[in-house]
Amino acid sequence: MGTIVLTGTVVLVIMGFGNPLYWLAAVAVLYLYVRYGRTATPTPPTGGTGTGTPSAPADYRAYRARRDLQAKWERRYERERGRRG
């Protein structure tokens, strides 16, 4: 995709020597590519039903794992701070 955009921009710049509006078109193409084309991220693969929505239990398990890990570190911090204070 990037090669096509760059090739098209070069063609517009070359054509711009006869008509400067093509230079503006080349700038617009580059702007749109940088703004929308290059930064577009592909949709992440989803598990489960294949309908395009992630399954709720997997999300909840991930949430629980993060929450439990955070609680573990908070307990450890409180234990260590309690001994020093």
Side-chain angles (χ1 to χ4, degrees):
M1 177 72 179
T3 306
I4 295 170
V5 171
L6 291 177
T7 303
T9 303
V10 169
V11 168
L12 286 171
V13 168
I14 291 171
M15 291 172 54
F17 288 109
N19 186 354
L21 288 178
Y22 288 121
W23 287 344
L24 292 176
V27 170
V29 166
L30 284 177
Y31 172 77
L32 292 174
Y33 174 67
V34 169
R35 178 78 171 138
Y36 299 107
R38 192 175 54 151
T39 59
T41 58
T43 57
T46 58
T49 62
T51 60
T53 59
S55 58
D59 288 339
Y60 184 68
R61 281 194 292 269
Y63 160 75
R64 287 285 306 264
R66 288 190 308 268
R67 189 185 71 177
D68 292 345
L69 185 61
Q70 180 67 33
K72 172 186 159 187
W73 283 104
E74 287 175 359
R75 286 191 302 269
R76 180 178 178 185
Y77 177 78
E78 286 298 321
R79 236 183 1 255
E80 289 177 358
R81 294 291 288 180
R83 290 180 188 165
R84 293 181 180 159

